[in-house]
Amino acid sequence: MGGTYFIYLIVSLVRILLFIVETAMLLRAILSWFFMDEDNRVMAILYAITEPFIIPVRALFDKLGWFRNLPIDISFFVTYLLLSIISMLL
């Protein structure tokens, strides 16, 4: 019984983490439409939360040579999609 509670606790914590990252990614996407100073604290926090999840996808795309000449960051969308899928599977 204790093992089941521990697994439930871990899954719940991962769900909360995924929710926080997905929300930060949405805020980052919306705020990117507006002019922001480079020293903006909100954007710095959002980048600090989201970049560790986006960097591996971006590195994979760079290594494979995918989406190099596009004006938008596809790795951002793919990361959000992957996080959403993982969240739904939990």
Side-chain angles (χ1 to χ4, degrees):
M1 177 133 168
T4 305
Y5 179 73
F6 181 72
I7 291 172
Y8 175 76
L9 180 66
I10 296 298
V11 169
S12 297
L13 289 174
V14 170
R15 281 184 182 164
I16 291 169
L17 173 69
L18 289 173
F19 175 76
I20 290 169
V21 173
E22 288 175 7
T23 304
M25 289 184 76
L26 277 174
L27 286 172
R28 177 178 165 177
I30 291 168
L31 290 176
S32 72
W33 297 341
F34 302 100
F35 178 74
M36 297 278 184
D37 291 335
E38 291 183 19
D39 298 336
N40 188 307
R41 284 187 177 182
V42 173
M43 288 304 285
I45 292 169
L46 292 175
Y47 272 85
I49 293 171
T50 58
E51 278 299 308
F53 294 90
I54 299 170
I55 287 174
V57 176
R58 190 178 292 139
L60 177 66
F61 288 170
D62 286 343
K63 183 177 181 180
L64 297 174
W66 296 353
F67 311 115
R68 284 194 179 159
N69 297 325
L70 291 179
I72 59 173
D73 187 9
I74 294 296
S75 59
F76 182 90
F77 296 111
V78 171
T79 302
Y80 188 83
L81 180 65
L82 289 173
L83 291 174
S84 296
I85 290 170
I86 292 169
S87 181
M88 286 188 292
L89 290 175
L90 293 176

